[in-house]
Amino acid sequence: MTLDLIEAFMKLVEQKSFVRAAESLYISQSSLSHRINLLEAELNATLIVRARGKRSFELTQAGIEFIPIAER
């Protein structure tokens, strides 16, 4: 797990938007999504649920529980 993956997750949580989070990290939305997917694969847990056809997402319980770990 790299700092880039954790930073991507935390920025997404902070910004509450893939568009804004990607812009603030100076990466594309697809790169941000890829980083989140890599992090979820490494943790073997789904951290966010993406709404199809919408620009929103929700944190799963695992995502909520990962926030304090990521903040350390």
Side-chain angles (χ1 to χ4, degrees):
M1 182 179 326
T2 66
L3 185 58
D4 286 343
L5 302 181
I6 296 170
E7 181 183 32
F9 173 76
M10 291 305 295
K11 191 60 75 171
L12 183 58
V13 169
E14 174 190 311
Q15 296 291 326
K16 298 179 177 79
S17 162
F18 271 89
V19 173
R20 290 191 304 263
E23 287 174 353
S24 68
L25 292 167
Y26 303 102
I27 61 175
S28 67
Q29 291 177 50
S30 62
S31 292
L32 174 60
S33 185
H34 182 69
R35 289 181 187 185
I36 298 300
N37 289 337
L38 287 174
L39 181 61
E40 289 177 328
E42 285 190 32
L43 295 173
N44 196 29
T46 301
L47 302 175
I48 63 170
V49 177
R50 297 155 181 89
R52 290 271 180 202
K54 298 182 181 177
R55 293 185 176 185
S56 62
F57 67 91
E58 292 184 26
L59 289 173
T60 63
Q61 187 61 37
I64 293 168
E65 292 171 3
F66 184 66
I67 292 172
I69 296 167
E71 289 175 332
R72 286 189 235 140

